[in-house]
Amino acid sequence: MRMRKKKNAESRLLACEDYLLKSREDLLVYRDKMPLELEIGCGKGGFICQMARRYPQRFFVALEVSTSALITALETAKAESLANLRFINANAVHLPELFESGEVSTIYLNFSDPWPKARHFKRRLTYRLFLEKYCSVLTPDGKIIFKTDNRPLFDFTLEECAALSLPVTDLTYDLHNSSYNADNIMTEYEKNFSSQGFPIHRVVIHKKAENTVSQT
Ligand SMILES: C[S@@+](CC[C@H](N)C(=O)[O-])C[C@H]1O[C@@H](n2cnc3c(N)ncnc32)[C@H](O)[C@@H]1O
């Protein structure tokens, strides 16, 4: 996501710092609020804020490497006093240092940057080394829910899952016209791409073996 640097970024970040987790210890305060769900690359936070409103009994953490994008997300969470949502300004490569093994029940990857050039495949957030990091923090029955409009990235993701023998279910190439759409929350990118007529692809990736792949 290319974003212009936000005005007064530092003071705005400071004003919301109660919503920022800065260390592993900060997260421990919320551990009793399990199950813990995580979005990686939350952007401006529309999806994760709506999840926190809809599911007050779950605790959400959103990871975002871009400070500019994060400020909007933080300000929304603070304005609404969302008690079950916190943010981390960090790169997903650091995931295993931020979370304990087996403590995250669901990871959401929404419209991750596609990195279309072949030589950049290792930067894609569904590259196998990233998937392995996600699995290391997931509970045994944990899952990764991945949405994108980008078919090459979607196909790449399925290949990476196959390479790691990660089972996939609930696969659709057209989420908005599928049975999985009932409880779907649209992200900022999703609204944009879908308004341009692009179908949205979505799949659930499991940590442990399950047998079926259903498709609509
Ligand atoms: C294309 S945007 C999608 C934003 C949002 N999920 C949505 O669907 O509207 C991808 C986001 O992922 C973030 N991102 C990319 N690589 C990341 C990484 N390695 N760790 C954390 N965030 C990352 C970017 O800064 C950007 O905000």
Side-chain angles (χ1 to χ4, degrees):
M1 183 191 278
R2 290 207 185 281
M3 303 209 57
R4 260 177 277 151
K5 235 182 156 205
K6 283 210 161 61
K7 268 191 186 169
N8 312 319
E10 251 178 55
S11 57
R12 288 170 68 181
L13 208 59
L14 210 61
C16 300
E17 74 173 348
D18 287 355
Y19 282 80
L20 261 185
L21 302 176
K22 289 173 217 79
S23 68
R24 161 101 214 116
E25 287 65 42
D26 284 354
L27 183 62
L28 297 183
V29 176
Y30 301 98
R31 286 202 64 179
D32 58 329
K33 301 194 176 170
M34 299 292 184
L36 173 58
E37 303 195 359
L38 170 70
E39 184 183 12
I40 297 176
C42 69
K44 293 179 181 173
F47 170 83
I48 205 70
C49 288
Q50 181 57 12
M51 288 291 284
R53 288 178 205 113
R54 186 183 285 181
Y55 302 106
Q57 74 286 11
R58 303 184 199 167
F59 188 70
F60 298 93
V61 175
L63 198 73
E64 172 54 58
V65 75
S66 157
T67 309
S68 291
L70 197 58
I71 286 172
T72 306
L74 281 164
E75 289 180 340
T76 306
K78 185 182 174 178
E80 296 183 35
S81 306
L82 293 173
N84 59 334
L85 172 60
R86 290 295 182 273
F87 297 87
I88 303 179
N89 192 189
N91 192 306
V93 292
H94 300 301
L95 208 66
E97 299 142 47
L98 298 167
F99 296 91
E100 264 178 28
S101 95
E103 77 172 336
V104 179
S105 65
T106 306
I107 293 177
Y108 301 95
L109 283 175
N110 293 320
F111 298 84
S112 307
D113 297 320
W115 293 105
K117 289 187 180 148
R119 70 174 188 276
H120 289 152
F121 72 99
K122 291 185 179 176
R123 298 182 189 183
R124 298 174 192 151
L125 286 181
T126 51
Y127 173 54
R128 65 193 69 180
L129 290 189
F130 278 109
L131 291 176
E132 282 173 343
K133 284 180 197 283
Y134 307 154
C135 286
S136 76
V137 301
L138 280 174
T139 55
D141 60 349
K143 55 188 188 285
I144 302 158
I145 305 182
F146 175 60
K147 287 197 283 189
T148 183
D149 64 303
N150 188 289
R151 183 63 189 265
L153 178 64
F154 196 68
D155 291 343
F156 170 84
T157 300
L158 296 178
E159 285 163 21
E160 293 299 283
C161 291
L164 294 178
S165 301
L166 298 178
V168 297
T169 62
D170 302 358
L171 188 158
T172 175
Y173 290 95
D174 190 1
L175 173 62
H176 296 175
N177 290 303
S178 78
S179 55
Y180 305 116
N181 197 43
D183 59 355
N184 183 47
I185 292 174
M186 291 226 263
T187 76
E188 284 90 353
Y189 271 66
E190 185 170 354
K191 286 177 191 159
N192 181 19
F193 288 126
S194 133
S195 71
Q196 295 178 55
F198 294 108
I200 305 304
H201 319 314
R202 183 255 207 192
V203 69
V204 179
I205 303 162
H206 298 266
K207 177 172 172 171
K208 73 169 187 194
E210 281 176 25
N211 304 325
T212 44
V213 176
S214 53
Q215 184 173 329
T216 57

